[in-house]
Structures are given as structure tokens and as C-alpha cells.
Amino acid sequence: MLVLLTASTMAVSTANRGWQFENRPYSGPYHPNNQQTSNKIIVGDSYHWNFGFNYIDWAIKHGPFYVNDTLVFKYEPPTPKIFPHSVYLLPNLESFTKCDLKNAKMEGNTTQGAGEGFEFVLKTPGQPHYFACGERNGFHCLNGTMKFLVTPEFQYR
Ligand SMILES: *[C@@H]1O[C@H](CO)[C@@H](O)[C@H](O)[C@H]1NC(C)=O
Ligand SMILES: *[C@@H]1O[C@H](CO)[C@@H](O)[C@H](O)[C@H]1NC(C)=O
Ligand SMILES: *[C@@H]1O[C@H](CO)[C@@H](O)[C@H](O)[C@H]1NC(C)=O
Ligand SMILES: [Cu+2]
């Protein structure tokens, strides 16, 4: 990156060609993900994984998601001022609708969203993944709308 930037000041056309080669083809603002490669997708984009964002809407706009895509959940670790977040998988649509955490499985704990974030690689194609924040017994999920649904697709190469 630094080398490219330095080079671009000296030989603009060469550097530009380098950028085009390394960057994936641009596919529009709402579908950064429909390419033939595995991607890292930051959940919530710049809003990260926080209370009060419409993640269901976000997931619809950012689909489709493919096997081997990595979802990156970024959230601050607990401090006296910040309510922590976490990443759970809920077992079915009913628990997702109700934000019922009874049979949920914790994937990312309250500290794993720090730094580079908590990474979840999508594996099982065709299986709905019901993601939710597990904090405050479903309150973040229900009232903070910290939940979304992803069904990974096969990608054909
Ligand atoms: C996903 O990644 C694994 C490990 O790199 C690879 O073996 C597998 O073929 C990939 N699956 C798809 C559908 O790309
Ligand atoms: C969260 O998980 C990490 C990695 O497994 C572990 O090191 C850490 O102690 C856990 N934190 C909490 C609060 O459970
Ligand atoms: C949380 O959301 C539920 C369902 O939308 C609502 O009935 C309840 O009043 C909300 N609670 C708070 C404290 O906002
Ligand atoms: Cu939360």
C-alpha cells in the first residue's frame, strides 16, 4: 500500500494499473459482495455491531452472502460506560422473531468484538443463520434490533 502510494506520485499511470489489478471489480454500493471470491464483510458497515441499527435491512441490501464469506462483528469490550455486545446464533425462526435466547449458542463473547472484530466464516449453504446480540436477555436483539438472517449460497467459480 505504502509502496503503491509512493509509486503513484512518481508514475501515476503505472500505479493506477496496479490499483485496478489488485482491487476487485466495483459492483455498486449495496452489493459489495456478489463476486466470485470470499469476502470479509463488516456487519453494519461503519455502524459496526451496536444497539439501534436495522441489521435485517442491512443484510438484505448486502446479500447475497456466500460460503466462505467472513462476517466481521466489531463492538467495544465492556467498560463502566458501555453496555457490552455479543454474537449468538439462534436455533430457528421462532426464537429469532421473539429474540428468545434459551437454546441459543454463543459464538462471540463480549470481548471478542474488540480490535479487528469477531470473525464468523459462513459454511453451511442453504441453512439460515439467525444472528443476534445476546446481551440483556434479548433486549438488545428485540429493542436494539441487533439481529439479522443470512443464508449462505454456493458460489460457482
Ligand atoms: C471454502 O474454503 C475451504 C477452505 O479454504 C475450501 O476447502 C472450500 O472448497 C471452500 N468452499 C467454497 C464453496 O468455496
Ligand atoms: C472471550 O473469549 C476469548 C477467546 O476465547 C477469551 O480469551 C476471553 O477470556 C473470553 N472473555 C469472556 C469475557 O468470556
Ligand atoms: C421493547 O420492544 C418490545 C417489542 O417491540 C416492546 O413491547 C417493549 O415495550 C420495548 N421495551 C422497551 C423498554 O423499550
Ligand atoms: Cu448488544
Side-chain angles (χ1 to χ4, degrees):
M1 176 82 85
L2 195 60
V3 174
L4 262 180
L5 285 173
T6 311
S8 71
T9 60
M10 292 185 285
V12 172
S13 62
T14 310
N16 281 346
R17 216 166 22 213
W19 278 112
Q20 279 170 17
F21 219 81
E22 284 185 8
N23 287 347
R24 297 194 180 102
Y26 181 70
S27 60
Y30 292 117
H31 297 91
N33 190 31
N34 65 28
Q35 300 144 22
Q36 303 298 304
T37 49
S38 306
N39 291 312
K40 278 197 183 189
I41 302 122
I42 296 176
V43 175
D45 300 323
S46 59
Y47 199 84
H48 296 173
W49 185 234
N50 284 303
F51 196 91
F53 183 84
N54 191 339
Y55 291 96
I56 291 176
D57 195 41
W58 173 88
I60 289 167
K61 285 178 176 164
H62 281 69
F65 296 90
Y66 294 105
V67 171
N68 285 346
D69 279 350
T70 303
L71 297 178
V72 184
F73 295 82
K74 294 188 165 201
Y75 47 97
E76 297 296 319
T79 72
K81 282 186 177 173
I82 298 176
F83 282 119
H85 304 290
S86 56
V87 180
Y88 280 70
L89 275 176
L90 306 182
N92 52 43
L93 183 59
E94 192 187 0
S95 56
F96 180 72
T97 305
K98 294 179 178 167
C99 289
D100 174 6
L101 285 148
K102 236 185 345 249
N103 298 309
K105 179 173 183 286
M106 188 181 72
E107 298 290 342
N109 69 26
T110 55
T111 59
Q112 283 175 291
E116 294 302 298
F118 170 70
E119 298 194 349
F120 186 98
V121 181
L122 296 170
K123 284 296 175 193
T124 322
Q127 184 192 299
H129 290 56
Y130 302 101
F131 288 101
C133 179
E135 296 314 294
R136 300 190 61 197
N137 194 29
F139 182 77
H140 279 205
C141 170
L142 197 62
N143 297 69
T145 61
M146 295 187 74
K147 62 171 172 178
F148 64 98
L149 167 62
V150 161
T151 304
E153 299 177 13
F154 268 123
Q155 51 183 330
Y156 300 96
R157 292 171 195 273

